Amino acid sequence: MIPKATFPHATDAEWRDWRWQQRHALTSAEALGRVVPLTDAERRGLALAEGRSRIAVTPYYASLMDPDHPSCPVRMQVIPAPGEATLAFGDLEDPIGEEPHRPARAIVHKYRDRALFLAVDRCAVYCRHCTRRRITFGEDGAFDRAAVDEGIAYVRAHPEVRDVIVSGGDPLVLSDDRLEAILAGLRAIPHVQVLRVATRAPVTCPMRITDDLAAMLRRFAPLFLVTHFNHPKECTPEAREACERLVDHGVPVENQTVLLRGVNSSARILGDLFERLLTFRVRPYYLHQGDLAAGTSHLRTPLEAGVEILERLRGRTSGLAIPHLAVDLPGGGGKVTLQPTYLLGEGEQGGRGHWLRNHRGERYFYPEPPGRDCTCPYEEVYYGGADGALDGARADGRAAPEGET
């Protein structure tokens, strides 16, 4: 068993302790080499990363690495490849344009009604595809209590913000008390309706999801936990237990997968992953096209790869198991979603309508109803005036891009 071979003196109680897992994270080629026989390419990638980016793998997540196959999806997500040191066409330090919308150290406010709260710049495991690597891999500095207080004050001063995503870094590297203080500060703001916590802990350190933590998160409902499974290999009994503990305590869990070349870039792998997540009572929410983060081009897929995967999944698995394929546009343009095209065009067959195809390529005619007026007469009565709810949906007053933070 890899864990005992690597940590022969670890007791069962220590192994199940999330603090022990974080304290004993593997952070060097020497430590990783005791778990798996490193290839020359992996050693070169680790050497090139030294002094340039952070490396850390919890013993639990390291135990999922296949020692016999360098193509193991866990190894590829945590051991730097030499390609990280090479900038490719289109690579950006700030790939989704957060910095121009960062009015406070802990805040990214790209959309009028949503704000991202950066609670911490550290993670228990540093994923090599990280989109915020300028913060989590670099020397951005600690997100201290002053930064947290400033961030909460910013949200309090902006009544248009109804949804706050607490992220980082991974906020679950914080103690329960520190995380609770952040959530309590945000929940005390009357106009904040929804909280989200973005974390990879159920995947990389599932022992972090304790009964105490789950109960604490439930107190701030409506609160959603958004996690990040990328491969079925990560769907362990421990991960299932973590997800089910959250759901049993009343905390809904959703998943955002990143499409990674050579890791999960096949319909078979992703279909398996999404179906397993549903058995964990976790909803597949987004399949993310890789962001243009500097040093990640070797892990990014062509756009058509993701569309083709969705095409293969549609009609072959439950719609619940098919997430939105999202592209976060470079430079702060926001998220847009892509999907296969099923609309073939207008036509007539005894009347006006549209031709569509199904997942097997068969054509079907959908007749249009008479008339095109789709107004709802009671809308102005119910809402008390004309619709202006979506006007100026960006924080800067410009028209909002499709999608969400």
Side-chain angles (χ1 to χ4, degrees):
M1 184 72 175
I2 286 175
K4 293 300 181 184
T6 309
F7 299 95
H9 303 299
T11 65
D12 288 343
E14 287 173 330
W15 186 260
R16 293 193 300 268
D17 183 345
W18 66 272
R19 296 175 185 84
W20 184 93
Q21 289 282 338
Q22 288 188 180
R23 286 197 305 269
H24 289 82
L26 312 179
T27 61
S28 66
E30 180 183 3
L32 287 163
R34 291 197 295 267
V35 178
V36 294
L38 297 172
T39 66
D40 290 343
E42 287 173 326
R43 290 189 179 280
R44 189 162 64 253
L46 285 160
L48 290 169
E50 189 173 348
R52 298 164 55 99
S53 67
R54 293 171 176 163
I55 297 165
V57 190
T58 58
Y60 163 81
Y61 197 58
S63 75
L64 305 185
M65 294 194 294
D66 188 329
D68 300 321
H69 296 280
S71 60
C72 165
V74 176
R75 287 173 71 160
M76 291 182 67
Q77 288 184 75
V78 296
I79 299 180
E84 277 192 31
T86 303
L87 291 181
F89 171 72
D91 276 8
L92 298 168
E93 291 298 319
D94 179 19
I96 55 178
E98 292 181 332
E99 292 303 323
H101 304 283
R102 198 172 170 188
R105 183 166 180 75
I107 297 291
V108 176
H109 192 188
K110 287 168 60 177
Y111 297 87
R112 179 178 174 80
D113 69 333
R114 278 147 288 170
L116 180 70
F117 195 106
L118 302 176
V120 65
D121 63 351
R122 294 176 290 110
C123 298
V125 170
Y126 292 103
C127 305
R128 309 322 299 178
H129 54 277
C130 181
T131 190
R132 211 165 284 134
R133 54 205 286 132
R134 72 188 188 281
I135 295 174
T136 59
F137 279 17
E139 298 299 327
D140 201 61
F143 285 75
D144 56 15
R145 294 181 188 276
V148 168
D149 292 343
E150 181 189 22
I152 292 173
Y154 177 89
V155 175
R156 186 182 301 113
H158 287 77
E160 70 275 18
V161 176
R162 63 169 187 84
D163 183 351
V164 179
I165 303 98
V166 179
S167 185
D170 192 323
L172 290 198
V173 302
L174 301 174
S175 68
D176 287 6
D177 288 345
R178 286 196 61 188
L179 180 60
E180 183 174 16
I182 294 170
L183 296 176
L186 293 169
R187 177 51 74 214
I189 301 171
H191 55 264
V192 174
Q193 299 174 4
V194 175
L195 294 173
R196 289 184 261 176
V197 175
T199 175
R200 249 205 131 181
V203 183
T204 61
C205 191
M207 47 285 295
R208 177 65 184 94
I209 311 301
T210 63
D211 285 327
D212 287 345
L213 174 69
M216 182 267 283
L217 294 176
R218 177 63 180 86
R219 290 198 293 273
F220 297 105
L223 180 148
F224 296 80
L225 188 136
V226 183
T227 192
H228 179 181
F229 286 86
N230 282 335
H231 194 277
K233 193 173 178 64
E234 299 167 335
C235 296
T236 64
E238 295 87 348
R240 174 191 285 271
E241 182 180 350
C243 293
E244 291 190 336
R245 177 172 288 118
L246 288 162
V247 177
D248 286 346
H249 278 79
V251 180
V253 183
E254 305 207 338
N255 187 72
Q256 299 187 93
T257 293
V258 177
L259 183 58
L260 299 170
R261 184 197 298 258
V263 172
N264 60 13
S265 49
S266 89
R268 181 182 183 182
I269 290 172
L270 288 178
D272 183 15
L273 171 64
F274 300 149
E275 289 169 355
R276 291 194 197 198
L277 288 176
L278 288 180
T279 71
F280 287 17
R281 289 179 284 165
V282 173
R283 184 173 79 98
Y285 173 41
Y286 273 142
L287 173 61
H288 279 285
Q289 174 69 19
D291 294 330
L292 300 177
T296 65
S297 63
H298 61 291
L299 290 171
R300 294 198 296 268
T301 64
L303 279 175
E304 60 266 23
V307 176
E308 181 181 342
I309 287 170
L310 291 193
E311 175 85 75
R312 294 188 61 191
L313 292 179
R314 180 64 63 183
R316 293 169 174 81
T317 189
S318 162
L320 280 173
I322 303 179
H324 298 289
L325 174 61
V327 183
D328 214 327
L329 300 176
K335 289 187 181 70
V336 295
T337 55
L338 304 180
Q339 63 179 348
T341 300
Y342 298 101
L343 183 63
L344 300 178
E346 293 190 60
E348 290 199 13
Q349 190 163 310
R352 238 179 18 86
H354 285 84
W355 285 99
L356 299 97
R357 68 175 180 89
N358 66 6
H359 64 282
R360 290 186 292 267
E362 299 163 341
R363 289 164 54 92
Y364 292 85
F365 186 76
Y366 182 89
E368 292 286 2
R372 289 181 174 269
D373 184 10
C374 292
T375 57
C376 301
Y378 192 69
E379 181 176 6
E380 292 190 25
V381 177
Y382 188 78
Y383 291 106
D387 179 16
L390 299 182
D391 294 344
R394 280 183 68 123
D396 57 15
R398 289 182 285 154
E402 180 184 352
E404 62 177 291
T405 297

